[in-house]
């Protein structure tokens, strides 16, 4: 469920189901602590701010982000470093096993193809898509030979150098595209689609699609006669017109459940980012280890209660804490994890 400004804005939204906040004794996995440590190291170098991290998480596209665990979202947000030019999309693709080579032409005139769904397992930001959503999942026919090799707009939109893609013109039946279409069954619409969005299909799939369109038209007709409609799926789902959000309780419980699953895929992005930053000498393995050990020991040291107690007992420290919290706790030998150091004022010159 999302509020006015996004899924993070849930204040005041009615939800009768309680949220399990846990006991506070969760033991984090190594990759999760490493992800937190990476954020800390990048922020200390001025390469990432807390607000950038939050904005990146808030901007993660649906529905992939609703299935991410807490630190998966952190890792996805860290990838906004690409906006600064710190890392490149090709570097990330290489470490994730995505081919960075220019693909060969795969389809030819008359081939049956199906448009991929927009359900990428890893999305680090809302993508710029030139494939219209109304044809996601549909089967069509390649209308002519490959139009040519074209620069990939999904990379150009973010100033990223992605491999060029073969471009095709694909024909779809209007009745398959638009529910309730009343024009001629022979009416078609042609759409130019990049190869990365297409996969091979068969004539049987096209015929099955035709049967489905006919069934949907009859269903709509019967619904009109009865004067009522009905909704399938999650009763907590929130319909936003062009897409549906799962209910908040379901989303939160899904995230909790996923925390306990085998996370080989879940930690993939975080590990790829750490490796890239190490290869570029932006962080070192030793620096990461030290921050991981520091974070692991913070619960035992009970630093938060200690800081609060000192502020109660020491008015001078309390004033310093209110003026600059990061600087105040550093004087106690505590390194704040997500605050970039403020630049030292330059000496006055005469």
């Amino acid at each position: 469920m999302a509020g006015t400004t996004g899924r993070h804005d849930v204040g005041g939204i009615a939800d009768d189901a309680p949220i399990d906040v846990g006991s506070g004794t969760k033991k984090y996995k190594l990759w999760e602590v490493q992800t937190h440590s990476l954020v800390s190291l990048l922020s200390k170098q001025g390469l990432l701010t807390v607000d950038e991290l939050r904005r990146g998480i808030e901007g993660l596209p649906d529905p992939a982000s609703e299935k991410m665990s807490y630190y998966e979202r952190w890792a996805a947000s860290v990838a906004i470093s690409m906006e600064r030019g710190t890392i490149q999309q090709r570097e990330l693709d290489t470490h994730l096993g995505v081919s960075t080579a220019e693909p060969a032409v795969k389809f030819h005139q008359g081939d049956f193809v199906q448009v991929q769904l927009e359900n990428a397992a890893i999305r680090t930001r809302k993508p710029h898509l030139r494939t219209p959503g109304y044809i996601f999942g549909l089967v069509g026919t390649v209308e002519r030979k490959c139009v040519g090799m074209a620069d990939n707009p999904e990379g150009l939109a973010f100033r990223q150098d992605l491999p060029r893609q073969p471009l095709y013109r694909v024909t779809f039946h209007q009745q398959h595209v638009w529910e309730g279409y009343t024009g001629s069954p022979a009416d078609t619409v042609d759409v130019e689609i990049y190869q990365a969005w297409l996969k091979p299909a068969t004539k049987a799939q096209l015929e099955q699609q035709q049967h489905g369109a006919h069934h949907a038209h009859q269903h709509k007709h019967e619904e009109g006669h009865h004067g009522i409609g009905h909704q399938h799926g999650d009763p907590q789902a929130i319909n936003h017109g062009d897409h549906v959000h799962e209910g908040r309780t379901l989303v939160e419980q899904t995230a909790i459940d996923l925390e306990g699953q085998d996370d080989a895929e879940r930690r993939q992005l975080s590990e790829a980012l750490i490796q890239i930053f190490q290869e570029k000498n932006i962080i070192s393995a030793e620096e990461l280890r030290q921050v991981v050990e520091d974070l692991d020991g913070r619960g035992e040291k009970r630093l938060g209660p200690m800081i609060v107690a000192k502020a109660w007992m020491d008015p001078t420290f309390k004033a310093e804490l209110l003026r600059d919290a990061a600087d105040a706790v550093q004087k106690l030998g505590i390194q704040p994890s997500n605050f970039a150091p403020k630049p030292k004022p330059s000496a006055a010159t005469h």
Side-chain angles (χ1 to χ4, degrees):
M1 183 181 295
T4 303
T5 62
R7 78 177 61 81
H8 62 289
D9 181 17
V10 295
I13 293 179
D15 192 341
D16 295 332
I19 297 177
D20 182 8
V21 296
S23 63
T25 59
K26 171 180 169 60
K27 179 67 175 177
Y28 290 98
K29 298 175 182 178
L30 176 60
W31 77 267
E32 294 175 313
V33 183
Q34 286 178 328
T35 303
H36 195 129
S37 302
L38 175 64
V39 169
S40 176
L41 290 169
L42 293 177
S43 68
K44 288 185 182 106
Q45 296 190 42
L47 296 176
L48 181 70
T49 68
V50 174
D51 292 302
E52 282 179 306
L53 181 72
R54 290 171 178 159
R55 189 261 297 176
I57 293 171
E58 292 161 8
L60 289 172
D62 297 322
S65 63
E66 293 178 343
K67 299 178 181 178
M68 288 180 174
S69 65
Y70 182 80
Y71 276 108
E72 262 191 299
R73 294 186 181 123
W74 274 45
S77 184
V78 169
I80 63 174
S81 298
M82 290 187 289
E83 295 178 358
R84 293 172 172 256
T86 312
I87 62 176
Q88 298 296 317
Q89 183 68 52
R90 280 180 179 265
E91 293 174 314
L92 186 57
D93 286 346
T94 298
H95 283 78
L96 291 174
V98 178
S99 175
T100 57
E102 190 170 285
V105 173
K106 183 188 297 184
F107 303 111
H108 306 280
Q109 184 177 6
D111 285 352
F112 297 104
V113 292
Q114 183 176 25
V115 183
Q116 305 268 17
L117 296 175
E118 205 297 287
N119 60 353
I122 297 176
R123 281 286 189 201
T124 59
R125 58 193 170 198
K126 182 178 179 180
H128 171 69
L129 304 180
R130 300 300 300 156
T131 303
Y134 59 79
I135 60 169
F136 286 173
L138 290 183
V139 176
T141 308
V142 177
E143 187 265 344
R144 64 181 69 180
K145 70 177 184 179
C146 175
V147 176
M149 301 295 292
D151 290 329
N152 192 332
E154 295 181 29
L156 294 176
F158 298 98
R159 298 186 179 184
Q160 294 289 336
D161 180 25
L162 298 182
R164 294 191 307 165
Q165 286 283 330
L167 184 64
Y168 304 89
R169 181 173 293 178
V170 182
T171 299
F172 302 90
H173 288 285
Q174 293 271 29
Q175 286 187 335
H176 300 181
V177 177
W178 312 113
E179 183 179 350
Y181 182 75
T182 58
S184 169
D187 289 350
T188 60
V189 58
D190 289 357
V191 183
E192 290 189 339
I193 308 175
Y194 293 87
Q195 182 168 287
W197 280 91
L198 298 173
K199 61 182 179 181
T202 64
K203 184 177 181 180
Q205 287 177 281
L206 183 63
E207 292 172 346
Q208 183 180 15
Q209 181 173 276
Q210 173 64 45
H211 175 73
H214 177 69
H215 175 73
H217 176 73
Q218 282 193 327
H219 184 74
K220 185 75 173 178
H221 180 69
E222 292 169 2
E223 188 178 280
H225 271 293
H226 290 296
I228 58 173
H230 59 278
Q231 182 176 347
H232 301 280
D234 177 17
Q236 294 191 63
I238 307 302
N239 194 327
H240 286 246
D242 61 336
H243 60 287
V244 174
H245 285 289
E246 294 174 311
R248 174 183 173 186
T249 304
L250 178 59
V251 170
E252 295 292 340
Q253 188 59 51
T254 298
I256 293 170
D257 293 342
L258 289 172
E259 294 285 355
Q261 294 181 4
D262 177 28
D263 55 0
E265 293 185 6
R266 205 161 286 285
R267 65 177 187 260
Q268 184 181 18
L269 178 58
S270 175
E271 292 176 345
L273 288 166
I274 289 172
Q275 190 171 356
I276 292 170
F277 285 119
Q278 288 179 346
E279 289 173 355
K280 297 172 78 75
N281 294 318
I282 294 173
I283 66 170
S284 69
E286 177 60 22
E287 288 173 325
L288 187 69
R289 184 193 64 76
Q290 289 178 358
V291 179
V292 166
E293 288 188 358
D294 179 58
L295 290 176
D296 273 343
R298 287 194 176 190
E300 299 172 2
K301 296 176 184 177
R302 302 182 63 80
L303 297 178
M306 184 194 75
I307 293 171
V308 173
K310 183 170 179 59
W312 282 344
M313 302 298 294
D314 187 339
T316 301
F317 174 72
K318 178 180 178 180
E320 292 177 349
L321 195 64
L322 292 172
R323 183 175 61 254
D324 188 336
D327 184 63
V329 298
Q330 282 179 314
K331 290 178 180 178
L332 298 179
I334 302 171
Q335 185 62 45
S337 63
N338 294 337
F339 289 88
K342 293 184 178 180
K344 300 293 183 183
S346 56
T349 54
H350 301 282

